[in-house]
């Protein structure tokens, strides 16, 4: 979604801002803009389209300023055009803002301001905030105080940076619900909605908390709450490398991230897996170990791919821990007055740690006194900070909008959690040993799966013109079918449905004819024979079968048009292997169709609005 960069320091602001915007492009956006303070005057340019379009209109303009703000917008209120792009200014043109989030009471504020003779140029809620700050500034003549007072009146969410020619040596930022990080460099500060825009300059950052604001000048920074209480912020160190947010020779981030999975799965269990003791060590859960041991119910809440991970987690935890598990879409959970007991454990799963619905769902669970845990990738993100305890998945930055490595790392961490709880609740040592050993062997097996890429590319060429796909799997591989279908529709815009294989005859079977490719996850487990029966039903109707099967399974060749083999592992670990061919299939089909794989249309990497 929208991205923010702000800079104050010794470098030319324009260079830092444009580089920052380019680093944020992966989040998905439809317009971009900048403001710098040049000779005490605001200089603004904004443009619908890509950062490259903005660069074109800045070409040849010499900007020496050391202070500025920039934005990539993902439209919520008002279509993506030049007028609605950020920065937005107040009526005097002397105050500008960039804003992420939604101002929910914008209509009421707009009416008050319109009645007083103020005007608006765009269709955005953000401009109303800019005009409102300007209105208050006219009364208090102090920028920080004007921002603070305006934000006290605002309902909704914001990550906000304000710049003004009235006080040209200052920049003010604030957050509620939308992330805002301040990089603390040597004689410079970089504000951003995402650390990717910061790490080129410094690894030392301050994470703003909700309802906190920061005032930056050339001499230093000061933080306070919107209620005017001075706050004291710790500096955190970001430990990822700049190479992790670059393509490293791959054509797309998504392909790079698919190929990183042997490493990222290993990173998810490194230092945690105790293979010789058949158990795991999870420092992040130590404080809630007793709660987990005695839990009667676990509720997972998540969106999208993270919700698919939760479904696999449900099967695994029920199996290993004998605890009842429910899986809830965060967007439904937050609004439906769910029954939650104080001894419930609610686990929010999120790659970004910023998904608005997931954040709201966990806050709802907290209000109802449940223990709330996080399974999160982005360190220091809102969900990670708002949970009682949790486990990072350590997948490193995921830039491709379609989630790949985060999914397999989430699954790895969910298995670790299941073993952790299960061993406290009675999994035997031999079973623990079997599980931890199998987990430790996965990275090598992932390498094997990745070797099938060329075969999958050939299949992609053959089926890229199909208009519909069906993905079917059972048990642990039912969520994988959902995930395979989601990957395909996200990046290739081909319609795809995922179903439990046995559900096919309750409806989707009507769709099957010679034009329908059906992807089966048919690995060897206790329901393998049932899946074979489902494949036969598809074949009988002339459907084209692409099967993901276990190495050594020769029988399946008689039913399937194409077989992709994955190494054998214990059934509950198969999703970590079986999803990889599906990620590759979606990727190669999208490339074949000429789609923008890393930034698919309409999608944002981190969905920070409802
Ligand atoms: O950052 P999160 O894991 O909370 O994001 C949840 C979904 O928005 C995300 O998984 C989305 O479905 C991806 N585009 C899937 O590829």
């Amino acid at each position: 979604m929208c991205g923010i960069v702000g800079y104050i320091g010794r470098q030319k602001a324009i260079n830092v801002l444009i580089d920052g915007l380019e680093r944020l492009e992966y989040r998905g956006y439809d317009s971009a803009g900048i403001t710098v303070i040049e000779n005490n005057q605001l200089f603004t340019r904004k443009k619908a389209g890509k950062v490259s379009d903005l660069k074109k209109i800045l070409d040849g303009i010499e900007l020496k300023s050391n202070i500025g703000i920039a934005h990539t917008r993902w439209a919520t209120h008002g279509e993506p055009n030049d007028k609605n792009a950020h920065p937005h200014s107040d009526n005097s043109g002397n105050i500008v803002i960039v804003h992420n989030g939604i101002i929910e009471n914008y209509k009421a504020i707009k009416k008050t301001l319109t009645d007083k003779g103020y005007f608006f140029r765009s269709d955005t809620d953000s401009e109303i905030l800019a005009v409102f700050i300007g209105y208050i500034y006219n009364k208090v003549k102090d920028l920080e105080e004007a921002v603070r007072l305006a934000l006290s009146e605002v309902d909704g969410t914001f990550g906000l940076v304000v710049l003004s020619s009235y006080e040209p040596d200052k920049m003010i930022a604030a957050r509620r619900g939308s992330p805002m990080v301040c990089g603390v460099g040597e004689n410079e500060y970089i504000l951003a909605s995402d650390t990717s825009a910061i790490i080129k300059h410094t690894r030392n950052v301050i994470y703003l908390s909700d309802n906190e604001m920061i005032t930056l000048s050339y001499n230093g920074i000061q933080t306070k709450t919107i209620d005017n209480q001075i706050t004291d912020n710790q500096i955190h160190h970001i430990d990822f490398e700049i190479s992790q947010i670059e393509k490293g020779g791959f054509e797309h981030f998504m392909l790079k991230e698919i190929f990183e999975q042997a490493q990222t799965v290993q990173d998810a269990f490194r230092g945690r897996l105790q293979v010789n003791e058949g158990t795991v060590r999870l420092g992040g859960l130590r404080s809630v170990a007793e709660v987990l041991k005695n839990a009667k119910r676990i509720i997972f809440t998540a969106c999208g791919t993270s919700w698919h991970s939760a479904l696999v987690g449900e099967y695994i935890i029920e199996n290993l821990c004998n605890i009842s598990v429910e899986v809830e879409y965060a967007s439904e959970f937050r609004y439906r007055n769910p029954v939650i007991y104080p001894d419930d454990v609610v686990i929010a799963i999120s790659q970004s740690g910023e998904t608005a619905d997931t954040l709201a769902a966990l806050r709802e669970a907290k209000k109802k006194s449940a223990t709330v845990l996080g399974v999160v990738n982005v360190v220091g993100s809102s969900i990670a900070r708002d949970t009682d305890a949790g486990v990072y998945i350590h997948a490193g930055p995921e830039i491709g909008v379609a989630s790949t490595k985060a999914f397999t790392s989430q699954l790895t961490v969910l298995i670790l959690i299941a073993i952790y709880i299960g061993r406290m609740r009675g999994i035997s040592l031999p079973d623990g040993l079997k599980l931890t050993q199998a987990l430790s062997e996965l990275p090598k097996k992932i390498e094997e799966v990745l070797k099938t890429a060329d075969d999958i590319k050939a299949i992609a060429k053959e089926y890229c013109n199909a208009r519909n796909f069906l993905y079917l799997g059972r048990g642990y591989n039912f969520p994988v079918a959902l995930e395979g279908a989601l990957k395909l529709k996200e990046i290739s815009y081909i319609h795809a449905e995922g179903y439990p294989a046995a559900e096919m005859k309750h409806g989707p079977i009507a769709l099957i004819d010679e034009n329908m490719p059906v992807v089966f996850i048919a690995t060897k487990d206790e329901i393998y024979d049932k899946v074979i029966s489902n494949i036969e039903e598809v074949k009988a109707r002339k459907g084209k079968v692409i099967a993901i099967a276990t190495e050594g399974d020769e029988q399946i060749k008689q039913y399937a048009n194409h077989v992709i083999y994955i190494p054998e592992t214990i059934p509950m670990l198969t999703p970590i292997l079986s999803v990889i061919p599906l990620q590759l299939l979606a990727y190669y089909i999208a490339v074949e169709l000429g789609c923008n794989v890393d930034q698919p249309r309409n999608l944002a990497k981190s969905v920070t609005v409802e």
Side-chain angles (χ1 to χ4, degrees):
M1 297 222 137
C2 308
I4 284 179
V5 194
Y7 179 77
I8 179 165
R10 292 187 174 170
Q11 302 186 54
K12 275 193 187 169
I14 190 69
N15 297 341
V16 181
L17 297 174
I18 294 292
D19 178 71
L21 290 185
E22 286 175 337
R23 304 254 174 218
L24 296 181
E25 283 193 290
Y26 79 96
R27 298 171 63 94
Y29 70 104
D30 43 52
S31 54
I34 58 115
T35 298
V36 294
I37 300 187
E38 200 70 14
N39 303 322
N40 290 341
Q41 298 295 314
L42 298 180
F43 172 94
T44 298
R45 288 290 182 277
K46 46 195 197 171
K47 192 85 195 122
K50 293 289 170 192
V51 175
S52 53
D53 298 310
L54 175 68
K55 277 165 84 173
K56 275 185 206 140
I57 60 168
L58 288 167
D59 205 23
I61 303 175
E62 175 73 6
L63 295 168
K64 297 198 190 85
S65 168
N66 306 118
I67 178 168
I69 58 178
H71 192 259
T72 47
R73 172 175 187 254
W74 188 86
T76 56
H77 295 68
E79 62 180 79
N81 55 28
D82 295 357
K83 174 183 79 170
N84 289 335
H86 296 217
H88 287 289
S89 81
D90 75 331
N91 278 183
S92 73
N94 293 321
I95 297 175
V96 285
I97 71 164
V98 287
H99 167 234
N100 291 354
I102 292 182
I103 306 299
E104 282 167 8
N105 57 340
Y106 77 95
K107 282 190 183 142
I109 299 174
K110 186 174 185 179
K111 169 143 193 357
T112 310
L113 293 169
T114 310
D115 291 347
K116 291 182 189 301
Y118 286 82
F119 59 88
F120 301 90
R121 303 172 179 98
S122 77
D123 313 313
T124 67
D125 54 330
S126 303
E127 186 193 7
I128 288 153
L129 182 55
V131 176
F132 191 38
I133 293 171
Y135 161 68
I136 298 178
Y137 182 85
N138 287 338
K139 294 176 187 289
V140 298
K141 302 290 181 207
D142 178 296
L143 189 63
E144 182 184 300
E145 189 59 0
V147 172
R148 194 185 74 73
L149 290 171
L151 295 181
S152 317
E153 299 293 320
V154 158
D155 294 335
T157 54
F158 49 81
L160 174 80
V161 190
V162 184
L163 205 60
S164 172
S165 54
Y166 294 133
E167 299 181 28
D169 295 338
K170 212 179 253 179
M171 192 155 65
I172 293 158
R175 76 158 273 179
R176 183 191 293 155
S178 286
M180 182 64 65
V181 190
C182 175
V184 181
E186 277 193 30
N187 303 313
E188 63 178 2
Y189 300 99
I190 306 101
L191 281 167
S193 49
D194 179 326
T195 49
S196 312
I198 294 177
I199 59 160
K200 187 174 171 190
H201 308 280
T202 177
R203 273 140 203 287
N204 296 327
V205 298
I206 291 171
Y207 296 104
L208 283 202
S209 299
D210 270 351
N211 294 310
E212 194 174 29
M213 48 193 289
I214 184 166
T215 300
L216 305 99
S217 70
Y218 290 98
N219 303 323
I221 51 175
Q222 196 189 40
T223 53
K224 58 160 72 168
T225 64
I226 289 166
D227 293 341
N228 219 4
Q229 305 297 314
I230 300 291
T231 52
D232 194 13
N233 269 296
Q234 249 187 302
I235 293 191
H236 296 261
H237 190 75
I238 314 172
D239 63 2
F240 65 83
E241 300 296 325
I242 196 120
S243 61
Q244 288 179 270
I245 54 169
E246 286 170 351
K247 285 190 198 148
F250 284 88
E251 200 181 333
H252 295 100
F253 281 109
M254 181 177 174
L255 191 62
K256 176 181 176 233
E257 286 157 6
I258 292 173
F259 272 84
E260 276 172 359
Q261 290 178 104
Q263 186 60 49
T264 48
V265 163
Q266 179 136 27
D267 291 344
F269 66 64
R270 177 178 293 118
R272 293 166 166 172
L273 207 55
Q274 314 281 292
V275 178
N276 295 335
E277 292 156 39
T279 188
V280 299
R281 195 188 297 147
L282 291 173
L285 297 185
R286 205 174 299 132
S287 62
V288 292
E290 274 306 298
V291 177
L292 289 168
K293 187 175 167 192
N294 300 315
K296 296 200 178 54
R297 185 168 69 146
I298 290 177
I299 302 170
F300 282 113
T301 187
C303 305
T305 289
S306 299
W307 185 81
H308 297 155
S309 297
L311 289 178
V312 181
E314 175 186 19
Y315 284 35
I316 294 171
I317 290 182
E318 289 207 336
N319 185 338
L320 292 183
C321 311
N322 196 27
I323 301 177
S324 152
V325 180
E326 287 171 25
V327 179
E328 296 263 6
Y329 280 118
S331 53
E332 290 298 311
F333 183 79
R334 63 182 290 192
Y335 283 120
R336 68 170 184 77
N337 194 18
V339 176
I340 301 173
Y341 303 106
D343 58 357
D344 282 338
V345 175
V346 174
I347 306 183
I349 307 180
S350 174
Q351 186 286 127
S352 63
E354 300 294 350
T355 301
D357 284 325
T358 311
L359 190 56
L362 79 84
R363 287 181 176 159
E364 181 63 18
K366 255 185 160 178
K367 244 185 239 156
K368 296 189 168 175
S369 305
T371 299
V372 178
L373 310 182
V375 172
V376 171
N377 191 29
V378 178
V379 176
S381 56
S382 302
I383 293 175
R385 279 141 45 89
D386 255 38
T387 38
D388 300 316
V391 186
Y392 281 117
I393 64 169
H394 294 314
E398 190 180 64
I399 307 290
V401 164
S403 187
T404 52
K405 63 176 180 173
F407 180 69
T408 46
S409 296
Q410 285 166 346
L411 297 184
T412 307
V413 164
L414 291 174
I415 306 239
L416 293 178
I417 293 175
I419 301 173
Y420 180 79
I421 304 174
R423 289 288 273 132
M424 292 192 288
R425 288 172 67 103
I427 300 181
S428 66
L429 176 62
D431 283 349
L433 289 170
K434 202 171 131 200
L435 280 162
T436 51
Q437 180 60 37
L439 206 44
S440 73
E441 289 165 5
L442 279 182
K444 274 214 162 61
K445 294 184 178 179
I446 292 173
E447 300 283 7
E448 289 305 307
V449 180
L450 290 167
K451 288 183 188 155
T452 62
D454 284 344
D455 298 338
I456 296 171
K457 199 173 182 175
I459 297 173
K461 271 195 172 35
E462 193 171 332
Y463 291 96
C464 64
N465 292 318
R467 290 320 306 147
N468 299 287
F469 268 73
L470 208 52
Y471 285 74
L472 301 173
R474 295 185 76 158
Y476 298 111
N477 282 310
F478 153 53
V480 175
L482 297 182
E483 177 60 8
L486 179 66
K487 286 294 84 94
L488 187 69
K489 55 190 150 193
E490 279 188 298
I491 59 170
S492 72
Y493 320 134
I494 294 174
H495 173 247
E497 299 270 2
Y499 268 94
E503 273 294 303
M504 182 182 63
K505 54 186 158 309
H506 299 286
I509 199 164
L511 297 169
I512 291 170
D513 62 14
E514 65 280 10
N515 299 316
M516 175 66 101
V518 184
V519 180
F520 272 96
I521 303 114
T523 49
K524 282 275 184 175
D525 54 24
E526 64 271 24
I527 41 176
Y528 171 78
D529 290 336
K530 313 254 177 220
V531 177
I532 291 293
S533 305
N534 299 139
I535 293 180
E536 286 188 275
E537 288 158 9
V538 170
K539 287 305 290 175
R541 288 159 184 84
K542 298 193 168 54
K544 301 283 185 304
V545 173
I546 302 163
I548 312 301
T550 308
E551 250 163 32
D553 177 2
E554 290 298 318
Q555 182 197 349
I556 199 158
K557 285 186 178 160
Q558 36 176 313
Y559 310 108
N561 300 71
H562 307 271
V563 183
I564 299 295
Y565 286 111
I566 61 171
E568 188 169 7
T569 182
I570 55 178
M572 69 176 63
L573 300 186
T574 47
I576 296 175
L577 302 178
S578 60
V579 75
I580 294 171
L582 307 190
Q583 296 168 344
L584 286 166
L585 183 64
Y587 172 79
Y588 286 121
I589 288 179
V591 170
E592 201 57 44
L593 295 174
C595 299
N596 185 345
V597 174
D598 284 334
Q599 290 166 36
R601 70 180 179 210
N602 303 338
L603 290 180
K605 181 66 186 161
S606 159
V607 184
T608 51
V609 295
E610 278 191 55

